[in-house]
Amino acid sequence: MPALIVGNWKMNGLGEDIAEVAAMAGSSAAKGRSGIWIAPPFTLIDRAVIVSAGAVKIGGQDCHGNAKGAHTGCVSAPMLADLGAGFVIVGHSERRRDNGETDADVRAKAMAGRAAELEVILCIGETRGQRDSGQTEAVLSSQLAGSLPDDAEGLIIAYEPVWAIGTGLTPTLGDVETAHAHIRSQIVARFGPAGHGVRILYGGSVTPANAGDLLRVADVGGVLVGGASLTAQSLLAIAAAAP
Ligand code: PGA
């Protein structure tokens, strides 16, 4: 399975930055052995869809758990699909932290994304304190139990240790392998054989320098990249590092 390279622009990007999406879409990497997906801020989704011309899949960084209603400032999954988005990220640790999102909220968002026929990237991961006290696997199990949607179709899991996001720190390759194996076992226990088809991404301080090693770890199906996804040069270097 070719590696999937997903960029999460977070709260970054103005109109002029659309040129980066165009450069990513124009590169052979976008059509080559790894897929490139970008989640720009909501404000750039429609322009990103146009300039990417299908070569880069464009998605949202979040969606509401309801399809519509009285929720000022929120964006629903059907709205994303209506703009031409193909996927949505749910449960990112920054949303859990900044917006108090619970596993139940994340499950509702995942279900809403699937109902709108978006692929759903569901993020989970432990804090530094949880890792240091040996709770990593228990935390991952409990986040999955509380937030997985009803079936495995269109689902991608992103393992993102909270302490590795934006810090320059990454787990050892062995720790990534152990976490992904644990996630796989939980998904297969929950969904049966269909659980084997769910891609598991690693995220947290991925750079062009470490992407090759991370993408060679067993059952790492791709990477979710924040800071290093903001320029085409950096994201394409990560894609080029894929085995
Ligand atoms: P980072 O962010 O690559 O800047 O660490 C990753 C993420 O939050 O998805």
Side-chain angles (χ1 to χ4, degrees):
M1 188 158 60
L4 178 60
I5 314 296
V6 184
N8 170 14
W9 278 16
K10 309 191 179 182
M11 198 171 72
N12 298 290
L14 298 173
E16 64 198 19
D17 299 302
I18 276 298
E20 300 298 332
V21 178
M24 293 171 195
S27 117
S28 57
K31 298 152 195 141
R33 58 179 193 268
S34 51
I36 296 181
W37 296 7
I38 295 290
F42 291 136
T43 49
L44 292 180
I45 287 177
D46 53 354
R47 278 174 276 181
V49 165
I50 291 166
V51 300
S52 67
V56 168
K57 188 178 288 195
I58 303 300
Q61 298 173 13
D62 177 51
C63 67
H64 198 275
N66 293 339
K68 61 180 179 177
H71 302 289
T72 301
C74 297
V75 172
S76 72
M79 291 171 180
L80 295 174
D82 187 44
L83 287 177
F87 74 97
V88 63
I89 298 170
V90 299
H92 192 283
S93 67
E94 288 157 9
R95 293 214 49 96
R96 295 176 189 258
R97 178 197 70 201
D98 295 351
N99 301 79
E101 291 182 7
T102 64
D103 288 334
D105 296 328
V106 175
R107 178 176 143 77
K109 289 165 185 267
M111 296 287 286
R114 289 302 302 137
E117 297 185 1
L118 299 173
E119 292 188 71
V120 168
I121 300 179
L122 194 164
C123 304
I124 57 173
E126 82 287 358
T127 63
R128 180 84 249 176
Q130 288 165 336
R131 172 161 288 273
D132 289 346
S133 56
Q135 296 174 64
T136 297
E137 293 191 359
V139 167
L140 298 178
S141 297
S142 130
Q143 289 179 330
L144 288 170
S147 62
L148 282 175
D150 285 348
D151 72 76
E153 198 188 332
L155 177 67
I156 296 169
I157 304 295
Y159 169 55
E160 296 208 304
V162 177
W163 53 272
I165 295 176
T167 58
L169 303 172
T170 52
T172 65
L173 299 178
D175 285 344
V176 173
E177 183 171 349
T178 302
H180 279 230
H182 179 70
I183 292 166
R184 177 69 62 200
S185 74
Q186 298 294 299
I187 296 174
V188 170
R190 170 70 179 267
F191 295 123
H196 289 291
V198 174
R199 192 188 285 268
I200 307 175
L201 309 177
Y202 168 78
S205 294
V206 176
T207 66
N210 63 22
D213 287 341
L214 287 162
L215 286 165
R216 282 176 177 80
V217 172
D219 215 358
V220 171
V223 286
L224 179 52
V225 187
S229 75
L230 294 174
T231 66
Q233 184 187 29
S234 167
L235 194 73
L236 292 173
I238 289 172

